[in-house]
Each structure stands twice: as structure tokens, then as C-alpha cells.
Amino acid sequence: MLPAECTGESGKQNEKEINTMKTVLIEKPFEIAVTDTEMPVPKEGEALLKVLYCGVCGADVASYTGNQPFTTYPRIPGHEFSAEIVSIPENDKGLKPGDIVTANPYFNCGTCYSCRRGFVNCCTDNQTMGVQRDGSFREYIVMPVERIYDGKGLSAKELALVEPFTISYHALHRAPVKPGDKVLVVGAGPIGLFALIAAKTQGAEVYVADVLEGRLEKALHFGATGVINSATSDIKEETMKITNGNGFDVCVEACGLSVTFLSCIECAAFAANIILIGNGKKETTFLHSILLKKELNVFGSRNSYASDFKAVIDLISGGEVNVLDMVSAVYPMERADEAFKALAENDGSLSKVLIEM
């Protein structure tokens, strides 16, 4: 509420300042502005959150470059974030103002066949923040209390990395991964690296393939048993050396490219599992008889569950992994356009980029 003395022109100015906030807006491909938008007002069952850090996802970069088919413009990007609770209704989660939290950004309809069967992560009318609906790149947002997760003492930067970690964590639990399994992760971007970490927590022996030496060094830092530079080595030959001619028990595709999917099929052992995380943008042509011959299991993976968020928060808070090593750069909100441009032109040297709100 405005003070009583706020009248006249100065009062109008104060009212504007109180009722607006700074927001990062993709106006159209390759054009980003930091603009004033109205402060959100919580509805029943919603909390008001002050956003602290946002991660820039590949989907956000695709919206920026005009390569995201589900994005319309103008669009506020962002679905990887941490926030401080400003106000919240009474709840059975023990959440209160001042808590540092993160949240589930995938909004499901609750009525489609997938939702009715409990597969809310692949709702047929899914709306992900920053893609089908406006996202977290703004000073304040409102979120349903049921979607907010206690940060359990993690830092705001760590909590901004939880959502991308859940994508890989969920994927690596789509198929059985047993202690001692040999796992190949193809692609060492952030999602591939999180897949490496998730597989290691399940006791697997994990190898990572990529065409960029810097990314492979990052994979070794996060505990890869070995790496394959597929730009300078034959990935099939290296696979046979590593697995004594058997192939990998699990192959994880984390690039979304036709060639990497085909590599997974080629490098998989007979009766192996293939997990697809990368979002492909081109058709892949292959003789499907190879799937029959090897009796391969192919698992698609989309989004994640509430249980994945809670498990990942527990993993990080338990000290099993230092996710902050994933962060390559932090930009202030006012330089968001520089962050998006850097990622759009990324030569592989950048892993995770955060925006401080």
C-alpha cells in the first residue's frame, strides 16, 4: 500500500516503481530487452517469489535464435531458477517467507490421459515456463505452493542448477542402471555431464564421448572413467576396446543429433538400453532391423517428476556432488543479452551460464 503522503506527480512515480519490476524479454529472435512489467499478484494457493538466479537452458537459447518451435513472441524465458519466498499461504511443507527455494516449471493440465495415469511430466498439453508460457527471467514471479521445493540450505546458485540436473536424473532412472554397468554418455554439455553424475550415483562405470576436448576434460573432472574424442577417434573402435568387444550396457544420447543417436545404436551391446535426452530437430534414417537384431530397449525421456527434484536436492545437500563446478559464467540481469549471445555462439567452452536477477 502506498503511503498517504504519496500524492501528485511524485506519488504517481512512486506507485509506478512499486507496481513494476524488471523483466528480461525476448521480443523476437536475436532481440532481448530488459523492460518494466507489472508486479505479479498471487492467487489462492500461490506464493510470491523474488527470483535470485536463473540458468540459461538450451531451450532458452533456441527461443533466442528462433529455433524453438513451441515459442511465440514476445516471450519471457527461463525455467531453471532459485528464489526467496516473499509471501506464502499456510502450507504443510513448512515453507515460510525468507526461505530459499526452487520449483517445478512444467505445468500439466491434470485431465489428459497421461496426467490421469500419473505421467504428469509428459502431459499432452504440457506448458513449460519460458517456452509455452512466460518464465522466470524477472524480478518476481508467482508459483503454486505445490510446485515449490525446500532448498534444504543449498545456496541460490546451487538451487538454480537443480532443474537441469533433474532432467538427466529422471532420464537415468527411465532404464535400469546397475552397479558395474558400463554406460556411454554421448554429448558432454550440461545435460550430458549431469547424466554422467546421475549414472555414477547408481554405481555405473561411465564413459563420455564428445568432439570438444574442453568438454571431455570437464567430464573427467566430474568423474568419468574415460572419455572418447569422437572427432579424432572412431567411437565404435574405442567402444570395442573399452568393453572387450561387447558394447555398452547403457547408451545415453544427450545431443539431439542424428549421428549421435546412430552412434548409440552402434555402440550398444546386445539387449542393451538406449536413453534419449537430446531433443532432435532433424529426422534420423536407419534400418530398424538393427533394433530387432540386438533386441535394444529405447527409452525417451521428457521433463521430470517432483520426486526427481527432491532426490536431486538431497544428493547435492548430501555433498555427493559439487554442481557449482558446472557454472562457467554469471551475468547480471542487465547484461542478459550478452549471456544469450555468448551461448548462441558457444564454442564448447561454456557449460552452465547463470543470470543474477
Side-chain angles (χ1 to χ4, degrees):
M1 182 178 294
L2 292 172
E5 63 267 27
C6 288
T7 57
E9 292 302 317
S10 61
K12 291 178 181 178
Q13 180 63 35
N14 287 341
E15 183 177 2
K16 179 183 177 183
E17 290 174 357
I18 291 172
N19 293 329
T20 62
M21 62 179 176
K22 296 296 182 184
T23 297
V24 176
L25 189 69
I26 303 178
E27 297 180 318
K28 59 183 180 180
F30 297 103
E31 289 193 16
I32 287 184
V34 178
T35 185
D36 289 326
T37 58
E38 287 188 10
M39 280 281 294
V41 178
K43 298 176 184 176
E44 185 177 353
E46 292 182 335
L48 177 65
L49 307 179
K50 177 179 174 59
V51 182
L52 301 175
Y53 286 92
C54 290
V56 185
C57 176
D60 297 321
V61 178
S63 295
Y64 170 69
T65 59
N67 293 315
Q68 173 55 262
F70 304 118
T71 296
T72 56
Y73 303 94
R75 175 64 69 213
I76 302 170
H79 56 262
E80 309 171 357
F81 65 93
S82 60
E84 178 182 349
I85 296 176
V86 176
S87 65
I88 190 169
E90 287 189 19
N91 60 89
D92 58 7
K93 293 184 170 187
L95 297 171
K96 59 188 183 305
D99 286 350
I100 308 301
V101 298
T102 189
N104 184 326
Y106 327 117
F107 284 75
N108 60 294
C109 70
T111 58
C112 72
Y113 188 45
S114 295
C115 287
R116 295 200 308 273
R117 291 181 296 152
F119 302 119
V120 296
N121 62 310
C122 50
C123 168
T124 56
D125 190 33
N126 173 76
Q127 292 193 4
T128 298
M129 290 173 60
V131 184
Q132 292 95 344
R133 61 166 59 198
D134 282 333
S136 58
F137 275 62
R138 37 189 163 170
E139 290 182 295
Y140 295 89
I141 59 172
V142 293
M143 288 291 290
V145 174
E146 65 185 21
R147 294 184 166 274
I148 301 172
Y149 306 116
D150 181 4
K152 294 191 174 180
L154 295 181
S155 71
K157 287 182 180 178
E158 288 172 316
L159 287 169
L161 298 168
V162 166
E163 190 277 338
F165 195 166
T166 68
I167 295 296
S168 300
Y169 184 89
H170 176 80
L172 266 294
H173 287 76
R174 288 281 289 125
V177 178
K178 304 182 298 297
D181 276 355
K182 284 185 168 61
V183 174
L184 174 66
V185 177
V186 183
I191 296 300
L193 293 175
F194 279 129
L196 153 66
I197 296 167
K200 280 181 59 64
T201 66
Q202 293 170 266
E205 186 179 310
V206 190
Y207 295 79
V208 178
D210 202 287
V211 297
L212 298 172
E213 200 60 41
R215 286 188 169 183
L216 294 175
E217 290 174 6
K218 202 82 168 176
L220 289 171
H221 172 79
F222 280 107
T225 303
V227 295
I228 302 170
N229 188 324
S230 50
T232 59
S233 303
D234 185 290
I235 191 170
K236 179 66 178 298
E237 288 182 7
E238 294 301 313
T239 292
M240 293 301 105
K241 292 177 186 176
I242 292 167
T243 64
N244 296 318
N246 296 321
F248 285 96
D249 301 299
V250 180
C251 290
V252 181
E253 198 292 314
C255 296
L257 301 175
S258 298
V259 64
T260 48
F261 177 38
L262 295 175
S263 290
C264 285
I265 294 174
E266 192 174 38
C267 296
F270 279 63
N273 296 319
I274 295 175
I275 304 172
L276 306 178
I277 315 178
N279 192 3
K281 297 179 177 63
K282 294 183 179 180
E283 292 183 357
T284 301
T285 302
F286 65 98
L287 185 62
H288 76 265
S289 294
I290 188 65
L291 301 181
L292 280 64
K293 177 183 177 181
K294 284 188 166 185
E295 200 175 56
L296 297 176
N297 304 304
V298 181
F299 296 83
S301 185
R302 184 183 186 189
N303 298 337
S304 48
Y305 292 127
S307 58
D308 298 313
F309 278 84
K310 294 171 184 176
V312 165
I313 289 171
D314 285 342
L315 272 177
I316 301 172
S317 62
E320 294 191 42
V321 58
N322 181 7
V323 292
L324 292 179
D325 287 348
M326 197 76 70
V327 179
S328 298
V330 180
Y331 287 79
M333 185 182 194
E334 295 75 15
R335 293 171 54 202
D337 58 334
E338 295 178 39
F340 276 81
K341 184 177 180 181
L343 284 168
E345 299 172 353
N346 188 14
D347 61 1
S349 59
L350 293 175
S351 289
K352 205 68 208 167
V353 170
L354 299 181
I355 306 290
E356 185 175 6
M357 308 305 285

